[in-house]
Structures are given as structure tokens and as C-alpha cells.
Amino acid sequence: MTNTLFVGKVFHHFQEIPSTNDTAAALLSAQGTTKSTPPEGTVVRADSQSAGRGQYGSRWESMAARNLTLSILLYPKWLDIKAQFYLSMTIALAVLDTAKVHLDERTAALLTTKWPNDLYIGDRKAGGILIQNTLSGSGWAAAIVGIGLNVNQLTFPSMDNRPTSLALVSGRTFDLDVVADTLYECVEKRYLRLKAGKRAEIHAEYEQHLYRRGQNSLFERPDGQPFSGTIQGVETDGRLRLETEQGIELFDLKELRFIF
């Protein structure tokens, strides 16, 4: 049993479903008929997803029962909607914390977050996050936090983004339930720090772990034009801050593609 106050205490485990985020959303939708709101921290986990998604509709592929594919229901009603990227940074750090617990010190030093919230080990992707927010009027009703973490998969026949896994970089096989419990603990710890108002600390730590920060990298604008820039950090609204030939420029996720 996970050592948490609320994350993972209510748990739904499936062999295969289309999407853990969609199933979590259905739990929220059902509250109108059952008059029962799923408790904060409710987890929907699947051994396999037939329609798992990444950022902006990209597909998340994962071999059955080899990795963690799950969603966590959170109710950050105390967080202003304009500050929603703080939740994204919080979850990204929690996933990084989880991997760090299970890797040796040398490999853990290679962990970074690729903007906005992918987990990287060196130059290879080990995890991704998709947060779907539900609004109520001008406030926040719920956040469905979808997390995919590559744990025991050793081959990736069709995935892009140069994937890797904890097993590939460590030479070990992991107990998925143990890694999941670590994830729940890390998410809860980081989430409670956000709730306690530690925004500046979260922002600074996120930037500290930002993939290729301070290194010249190649990007592509929406019109296909390539350009080089150096990642300086992120704005609190989630825009990436680059130093380019034009000076400091700010980019939303749809405004550039990371080449290398």
C-alpha cells in the first residue's frame, strides 16, 4: 500500500482500456448521476491503452504490462487558472523524482525535463505527461493528470523521440507496483508543496532540470524555417524563453518544433 494521504488511495486497475485519461473523465462525468465525486487522488491505471495520447494528439505507445500508464484526478481549485503551468511543472518534477529514486546516482544525474513536461534520460525520452483541465465558470473544477513512464520496455519498434526506459539505462527489471507507489508519493509531495505556495521554488527547480538549458539547439518555426537558439528558461505562463539572433524570444508549444 502506498504511503500517501490521498494519491492512490482510491484505485481503478484495468488490463486494457482506450485511455486512462478518458476513463478518469468518465468518472468525473458520472458524478452527476451518482451524486458522488471521485476523491482527490483517485488513480486510473491500465496495463495497456489502445488509444493513449501525448501532447496535442500525438500517440503514446507502450507495450502491455511493461510500463506505467495511469491518470490521477486532482482538484486544484485553490490555484488560479492563469497559474496552471505551475501544476505542469509540479507533475514534471514529480515524475523526475520518481525516476531518480530508482536509478543510481550517475544515471539519475542525466534526468531532465524537456519542455514542457517530457522526462528525458540523456537525449532519450523516458516519460510523458498529458494534463486535461476541466473548468467550472471562471474557476478550476478538476485536473486529469495522465502520466506515461517507460519502466521495463526494452524495444520500441515504432515510437519516435528516441525512447528509452528505466530498465534500458539501468540493466534492471523493476516491480511496476513499487514504481507506481513511488510515483504516487512523489506526486502528492510536490502537489502539497504547490498548495503551500512554493511557486518560486517549483519554478526555479523546474528550470534547473530543463533539458538543454544553456545549450545551443536547433528549432523550427511553424512555417518550416529552422533557427538556432539557446534555452534560457520558461515563463510562469509556460512559454519557452530562447535567446536567438533576434534577441530574447518567447514561444508557446505550437509556435516551434524542437529539432535538436
Side-chain angles (χ1 to χ4, degrees), residues 148-161:
L149 179 61
N150 295 336
V151 180
N152 289 324
Q153 188 165 334
L154 299 178
T155 59
F156 297 86
S158 59
M159 279 185 71
D160 298 326
N161 301 311

Side-chain angles (χ1 to χ4, degrees), residues 11 43 54 56 64 76 82 85 111 121 138 148 175-176 193 201 233:
F11 181 77
V43 169
Y56 293 99
K82 294 180 181 178
F85 192 68
L111 291 167
I121 305 174
S138 60
D175 184 319
L176 286 178
R193 292 195 69 75
E201 177 184 296

